[in-house]
Amino acid sequence: MISTTMATALNEQIKWEMYSANLYLAMSAYLQDAGLTGFSHWMRIQYQEETAHALKFYDFLLSRGGQVTMLSIDAPDANWSNILEIFEETLSHEQEVTRRINELVHLAKEERDFATDIFLQWFVTEQVEEEDSVHDILDSLKRIGTDATGLYQFDLEL
Ligand code: FEO
């Protein structure tokens, strides 16, 4: 049986993953509107991945006898003015997710909740991958700069 403290923290993480999903779906719509179909598709995949992350926490919590509470999710602040801003926000958002996952690992260790600790290791590895792939896209976008042909080519790749 999972502790109430750990269950509360995991419910908060479900909310955070659902917020991430909403944020990326809003970004996907912005990119689609801007005619960047490849980027929009990439962002839509991130939306699906975040939903899957939320469900992983949801299933784990239930399997440990914890209570799932679906908390309300804030609307994303969709005031981007260009694609660079979108990917800069994506990177800082993923860094915040990493910070939160690390806090959860810290709590699990403090509580000697080894099952949750092991469960969380998948997310620790996943965050390395997520930050890395956003970094790569951001680097390429910075290199492309204002070159419309370069951006078009990159969009096709994605
Ligand atoms: Fe669920 Fe992109 O972290």
Side-chain angles (χ1 to χ4, degrees), residues 17 20-29 31-32 37-53 87 90 94 126 129-130 133 137 157-158:
E17 300 290 346
S20 303
N22 263 6
L23 175 65
Y24 295 153
L25 196 58
M27 286 176 170
S28 180
L31 292 162
Q32 183 73 33
T37 317
F39 285 100
S40 173
H41 174 73
W42 188 90
M43 213 40 105
R44 194 178 169 119
I45 302 280
Q46 306 317 301
Y47 154 75
Q48 287 167 345
E49 285 191 6
E50 298 305 342
T51 307
H53 293 171
F87 278 88
T90 302
E94 285 303 326
E126 175 75 359
E129 213 178 279
E130 297 228 332
S133 64
I137 292 178
E157 274 176 43
L158 289 176

Side-chain angles (χ1 to χ4, degrees), residues 69-85:
T69 311
M70 297 311 292
L71 303 165
S72 58
I73 306 159
D74 293 337
D77 203 4
N79 289 320
W80 310 289
S81 36
N82 56 57
I83 186 170
L84 198 60
E85 267 184 35

Side-chain angles (χ1 to χ4, degrees), residues 113-124:
D113 181 347
F114 303 118
T116 301
D117 188 10
I118 290 168
F119 165 75
L120 288 168
Q121 296 312 307
W122 183 89
F123 286 93
V124 172

Side-chain angles (χ1 to χ4, degrees), residues 53-102:
H53 293 171
L55 287 174
K56 256 183 190 286
F57 280 103
Y58 172 104
D59 288 336
F60 178 75
L61 197 44
L62 287 178
S63 73
R64 296 286 311 285
Q67 193 181 344
V68 167
T69 311
M70 297 311 292
L71 303 165
S72 58
I73 306 159
D74 293 337
D77 203 4
N79 289 320
W80 310 289
S81 36
N82 56 57
I83 186 170
L84 198 60
E85 267 184 35
I86 288 208
F87 278 88
E88 275 166 350
E89 182 173 339
T90 302
L91 182 60
S92 64
H93 183 75
E94 285 303 326
Q95 287 166 339
E96 174 61 17
V97 174
T98 301
R99 192 191 67 73
R100 286 170 183 257
I101 296 289
N102 290 343

